[in-house]
Amino acid sequence: MKYAIIDIGSNSIRMSVYRLDEEDNNVYIQFKDKIMAGLAGHIENEMLTEKGIKKACDALRIYRRVLGNLGIDNVYPFATASLRNIKNADWAKQKIKEDTGFDVDIISGKEEAELDFEGATKILDIDDGVLVDIGGGSTEIVLFENRKMKEAVSIPMGSLNMYKKYVKNLIPTKDERRSIAKDVKKEIDKLDLNTQTKYEHMCGIGGSIRATRKLSIELLGNDKPNKEFSTEEIKLLIKEFEGDDKLVIDKILQIVPERIHTIIPGMIILNTVVKQFGIKYIHVSSYGVREGYLFKNVLNTAFNGGNYGQGTSDRNK
């Protein structure tokens, strides 16, 4: 059995195709793809514009054709902050259905955080810590102990909407960076979270965190095999991207060109969160909300709650 999960995010639209092997009870990733749609950049007066909905539909029609050619009928599209944080979500959902045939499930911020944890814990080797998923339009935070979720929350701040809100040019100034950090901290402080308990480890999910690790490998020489990096490296990278804008742009373009405008806001969000909880080490997870959606909302329904392990095809290892 094959299943396609489509994640309509604020920055990118991603599709993952999984194969369920009923003999060994494992799920294998067949392939993954992403389209950088940048929907958060097409929001005006808290509403997604016609141009934004066209970009979403164009991407989804591409995936519709791919899945049709592969003969995959089990398709589950969902949207996160890209649609839940806009006033015209019902209109956007209807337009997508009319144009592509996809009936999109718009999930809440809390549900996204819970699904992040559901997915990450399939491969997570941390008993206590904080899970953080930095997307384009929101950031999810989960506190967990003894591998059990204690609190799951979401704030409407991500790498792309923080860029759009605060950054005038391509690279944020010192004042713009401070404004992003201040706004994120203020939003976290408003939550009913226990920030007094400090955690040494974080499970990191999302493109911003993966890109931060990639920058750490290329610029700081950190290439630990367990996909780990330290919070000190975030500070070094942020400092690395101060000064001459041309040099900063060149460095980013060489390593993570698709995140030229969002990587610094993303790192500022990450740095603000780790300060709140005293994090020292970040472990990057390859599983997140899409896998959580598959395990909890698809397989548990279709297969009566079976306990499925992790597997990965050779091309995606």
Side-chain angles (χ1 to χ4, degrees):
M1 295 289 290
K2 292 184 179 180
Y3 301 86
I5 306 293
I6 300 176
D7 174 2
I8 305 169
S10 298
N11 197 28
S12 62
I13 298 177
R14 296 171 180 263
M15 180 175 71
S16 297
V17 174
Y18 306 87
R19 174 175 62 86
L20 172 66
D21 190 324
E22 295 180 340
E23 291 187 4
D24 66 10
N25 216 30
N26 271 334
V27 169
Y28 296 87
I29 299 175
Q30 297 295 279
F31 69 88
K32 298 184 286 187
D33 188 64
K34 71 176 178 181
I35 297 173
M36 303 299 289
L39 298 186
H42 295 281
I43 294 175
E44 296 177 3
N45 299 318
E46 299 182 63
M47 294 190 289
L48 187 63
T49 64
E50 290 277 0
K51 187 175 181 179
I53 198 67
K54 183 181 184 302
K55 292 196 75 171
C57 290
D58 287 347
L60 292 171
R61 280 197 302 272
I62 291 172
Y63 287 153
R64 170 68 79 184
R65 289 195 295 272
V66 170
L67 294 170
N69 290 335
L70 295 174
I72 297 175
D73 298 321
N74 298 309
V75 185
Y76 299 87
F78 68 87
T80 54
S82 59
L83 298 191
R84 72 166 174 258
N85 289 345
I86 59 175
K87 291 180 178 179
N88 58 343
D90 290 340
W91 169 82
K93 178 175 177 176
Q94 183 61 34
K95 290 288 286 185
I96 289 172
K97 187 173 183 179
E98 291 173 359
D99 198 66
T100 70
F102 286 130
D103 189 7
V104 176
D105 180 14
I106 303 177
I107 63 175
S108 69
K110 187 174 189 298
E111 184 179 3
E112 183 177 359
E114 291 171 348
L115 292 175
D116 277 328
F117 186 75
E118 180 78 20
T121 50
K122 298 296 181 183
I123 57 174
L124 185 67
D125 192 25
I126 305 172
D127 292 330
D128 309 309
V130 181
L131 180 147
V132 175
D133 179 3
I134 300 174
S138 69
T139 296
E140 284 64 53
I141 302 172
V142 178
L143 309 184
F144 61 94
E145 294 180 7
N146 297 318
R147 301 180 69 84
K148 299 292 183 182
M149 184 165 47
K150 292 190 67 179
E151 299 180 78
V153 297
S154 176
I155 59 174
M157 296 172 171
S159 59
L160 185 54
N161 63 9
M162 288 296 95
Y163 168 80
K164 186 179 179 185
K165 182 177 180 180
Y166 288 109
V167 184
K168 183 178 180 181
N169 296 311
L170 193 59
I171 303 300
T173 64
K174 287 185 178 181
D175 286 342
E176 290 168 345
R177 295 173 191 221
R178 280 194 289 266
S179 295
I180 293 171
K182 183 179 178 181
D183 206 2
V184 172
K185 185 180 185 305
K186 181 180 177 181
E187 195 69 23
I188 294 174
D189 288 342
K190 284 163 50 178
L191 299 171
D192 187 21
L193 281 177
N194 177 16
T195 57
Q196 300 305 311
T197 301
K198 300 304 177 185
Y199 297 91
E200 188 173 10
H201 296 279
M202 172 188 287
C203 172
I205 298 172
S208 289
I209 293 180
R210 287 192 298 270
T212 299
R213 178 177 178 265
K214 191 172 182 180
L215 288 166
S216 179
I217 292 171
E218 296 291 332
L219 298 177
L220 304 179
N222 168 39
D223 190 9
K224 296 181 181 178
N226 58 357
K227 293 187 176 181
E228 175 190 305
F229 63 98
S230 72
T231 53
E232 286 300 316
E233 290 165 49
I234 303 170
K235 298 174 186 176
L236 291 173
L237 287 171
I238 292 174
K239 188 170 182 62
E240 181 86 11
F241 293 145
E242 293 177 351
D244 187 279
D245 282 2
K246 178 64 167 61
L247 293 177
V248 171
I249 291 169
D250 286 346
K251 289 178 183 177
I252 297 174
L253 285 176
Q254 289 172 8
I255 303 168
V256 285
E258 73 280 7
R259 296 187 178 275
I260 182 64
H261 57 311
T262 61
I263 185 58
I264 296 177
M267 287 195 295
I268 293 169
I269 294 171
L270 178 59
N271 192 48
T272 305
V273 175
V274 301
K275 283 181 179 179
Q276 290 288 97
F277 297 99
I279 304 296
K280 293 183 179 179
Y281 303 103
I282 300 170
H283 308 261
V284 182
S285 174
S286 56
Y287 271 23
V289 66
R290 289 182 297 284
E291 288 73 26
Y293 197 96
L294 175 72
F295 291 128
K296 186 175 181 180
N297 292 358
V298 179
L299 297 184
N300 280 358
T301 300
F303 296 95
N304 300 317
N307 182 23
Y308 300 98
Q310 180 225 2
T312 307
S313 63
D314 289 340
R315 66 179 288 186
N316 287 292
K317 281 183 180 178

